[in-house]
Amino acid sequence: MSDNRKYYYLKLKENNFDDDSIVLLESMQDGVLYSNILLKLYLKSLKHGGRLQLDEDIPYTAQMIATITRQQIGTVERALQIFLKLGLVEVLDSGTFYMSNIELLIGQSSTEAERKRAARLQNKALSAPRTSGGHLSDIRPPEIEIELEKELEKEKEIEMDKLKLSLQGYNYGNRYITWAIRNHGGYSAANALQFSQEQAAAYGWERYGDPEYVPHVLRYYSGGGLFAGLFGNQQIVTIAKSQLGNEGGQKFWSWWGFTQREEWCACFVSWCAEQAGLLQNGAVPRFSYCPDGVDWFQAQGKWQAAGSIPAAGSIIFFDWDHDGVSDHVGIVESCDGTTVYTVEGNFGDAVEENSYTVQSTSIMGYGIVGTK
C-alpha cells in the first residue's frame, strides 16, 4: 500500500548557524539551549505555515511550548522574549506566535512523491515501464507526457467544434446540425452562411437566423477551457487547484517552449492564466522570469503593495532573500484578512497549496488581475 502522508522538513543552509541572529543568540547565557528550543519551534510550526498552533483553532501558549519542548516555563518565556527582540518570532494580531522567515526553511513531500521522484530519476528508457499485469505504470518519460498533451489538445479542439455546431444549431434549429454533419462533417462559418442563404431563399425571406451567431457568442469566450474568462478571477484559481499534485512541472515548462527543465513557478502561473483566458485578454502577461512579471504589473499600474489584502486570483510575488528581486510567484486562492492562501507551482518541484501571514516579509507584492 502506498504511503501518501505528507511530511514537512526544515531546509537549513550550511551557514545557517553563522547568521548574525543565531550567533548572537548562542553567545548568550543558555544560548545553545535557546537555539535548541528555536529549532523545535520551527519544526512544530511547519505544517501550519509558520504559525505555532496545536490545530487550526488553538495557538500554542508559553506553557504549552514549555511542555512540548520539555523545558521550564521560565526558560521558555525568556527564550520567547529574546526571539522577539531578534526578529526570529513575531506575534500576530490573533496572539499566535509566528516563526519569521519560515518560508525560506519549509520543505514538504510525501513518501509516495519521493518514491516517484526517485523512480523518474532512474528511468532513462524511452519506453514506458510496465507492471506485472501489463498496464502502463504511473512513471512516464517526457516523450509520452508530450504525446498525452497533444492528445488533450486534440480533444479540446473536438469539444470546441461540437460547441460551435451546437451553438449554431441553437440559432437555426436542429435541421442545421443534421445538414451540417451530413454535408460538411460539422460546423464552419462558410456553411453557416450557406445554410442561412438557402433557407432564406426557400421561404422567401430576406434572411434566416444569424449566420454569425457562433462568433457573436464566442467573443465572450477568452480561450483556454470552455467558457474560460466568464467567471472572473476565480477561474484561474479553479484551474490552478486542478493541477495540485503535479510533480516536476514538465507540463508547464514544455508548454512555455523550454526543451529541458527550468524553474517553472512563473511558467505555471502563465499556463493557468492562458487556460483562464487571461493571457488572451491582456489581464496577465506571459512570463517565465519572476522579475519580468513584477515589471509588467508595475508598468501597467496594477501593482498592489505587500501587507495589503489581495483578492482571489491575484498573482503573488515573493522575495525570499529580501534583495528586491522576486524569486518565486504563485496565485492567491483566498485571503481571510490575516492569512493569504495560495496555489504555487515549483514549490518543492510540485504544485502545492500554501499559506502565509498577510504581513509576511517574504511577500513582495501582488499583481492585480483584471481586464484592460
Side-chain angles (χ1 to χ4, degrees), residues 69-98:
T69 59
R70 297 184 290 276
Q71 301 294 336
Q72 297 294 322
I73 180 63
T75 302
V76 168
E77 289 176 340
R78 288 192 298 274
L80 289 172
Q81 289 301 315
I82 293 169
F83 297 161
L84 288 167
K85 289 179 180 179
L86 292 176
L88 298 169
V89 172
E90 304 171 27
V91 179
L92 305 180
D93 292 341
S94 62
T96 303
F97 290 111
Y98 174 75

Side-chain angles (χ1 to χ4, degrees), residues 62-248:
Q63 182 61 63
M64 293 168 69
I65 292 172
T67 300
I68 63 174
T69 59
R70 297 184 290 276
Q71 301 294 336
Q72 297 294 322
I73 180 63
T75 302
V76 168
E77 289 176 340
R78 288 192 298 274
L80 289 172
Q81 289 301 315
I82 293 169
F83 297 161
L84 288 167
K85 289 179 180 179
L86 292 176
L88 298 169
V89 172
E90 304 171 27
V91 179
L92 305 180
D93 292 341
S94 62
T96 303
F97 290 111
Y98 174 75
M99 307 304 294
S100 304
N101 298 325
I102 189 67
E103 298 89 349
L104 296 172
L105 306 175
I106 292 180
Q108 55 182 302
S109 66
S110 67
T111 54
E112 183 71 4
E114 292 298 335
R115 181 191 67 77
K116 290 183 179 180
R117 287 194 188 100
R120 286 193 181 102
L121 289 173
Q122 295 172 5
N123 178 32
K124 300 297 183 182
L126 292 180
S127 59
R130 295 179 178 271
T131 65
S132 58
H135 300 291
L136 285 174
S137 77
D138 60 354
I139 306 167
R140 294 190 291 262
E143 291 80 4
I144 292 180
E145 292 285 357
I146 292 171
E147 287 302 315
L148 288 174
E149 287 298 310
K150 290 179 179 178
E151 290 178 11
L152 288 173
E153 288 301 317
K154 289 180 181 178
E155 289 177 5
K156 287 171 65 176
E157 290 177 7
I158 292 171
E159 289 301 314
M160 177 55 73
D161 289 340
K162 290 179 180 178
L163 173 64
K164 290 178 178 179
L165 181 65
S166 298
L167 287 172
Q168 196 63 63
Y170 176 79
N171 182 254
Y172 284 160
N174 288 336
R175 281 193 305 159
Y176 166 76
I177 295 176
T178 303
W179 175 88
I181 292 174
R182 183 177 64 244
N183 294 291
H184 302 282
Y187 165 87
S188 72
N191 72 46
L193 177 60
Q194 178 187 346
F195 186 84
S196 176
Q197 292 171 339
E198 290 179 358
Q199 294 300 306
Y203 289 103
W205 296 342
E206 183 177 344
R207 60 179 298 165
Y208 181 91
D210 180 3
E212 296 186 354
Y213 185 76
V214 170
H216 287 163
V217 172
L218 291 186
R219 66 184 174 182
Y220 299 103
Y221 163 81
S222 305
L226 294 183
F227 300 109
L230 294 179
F231 306 104
N233 291 4
Q234 190 58 43
Q235 182 75 358
I236 191 174
V237 175
T238 301
I239 290 167
K241 291 182 69 174
S242 73
Q243 302 303 307
L244 288 171
N246 177 288
E247 297 175 9

Side-chain angles (χ1 to χ4, degrees), residues 231-353:
F231 306 104
N233 291 4
Q234 190 58 43
Q235 182 75 358
I236 191 174
V237 175
T238 301
I239 290 167
K241 291 182 69 174
S242 73
Q243 302 303 307
L244 288 171
N246 177 288
E247 297 175 9
Q250 188 271 340
K251 175 178 185 176
F252 311 112
W253 53 255
S254 64
W255 165 84
W256 175 268
F258 293 114
T259 57
Q260 60 185 12
R261 187 193 181 284
E262 294 285 337
E263 297 301 329
W264 51 276
C265 57
C267 295
F268 170 72
V269 170
S270 295
W271 181 90
C272 291
E274 191 270 343
Q275 294 296 302
L278 297 171
L279 292 189
Q280 297 88 328
N281 65 17
V284 175
R286 187 177 189 268
F287 65 106
S288 63
Y289 180 53
C290 295
D292 288 345
V294 172
D295 290 346
W296 187 90
F297 281 109
Q298 290 180 340
Q300 297 292 317
K302 295 182 177 181
W303 183 254
Q304 182 176 344
S308 54
I309 309 300
S314 297
I315 310 302
I316 181 170
F317 291 89
F318 298 91
D319 180 6
W320 298 137
D321 48 11
H322 310 113
D323 62 355
V325 179
S326 178
D327 308 298
H328 183 61
V329 65
I331 296 167
V332 174
E333 181 178 345
S334 64
C335 180
D336 60 12
T338 58
T339 303
V340 183
Y341 299 91
T342 64
V343 183
E344 300 163 38
N346 200 24
F347 190 92
D349 204 30
V351 179
E352 297 278 1
E353 288 180 296

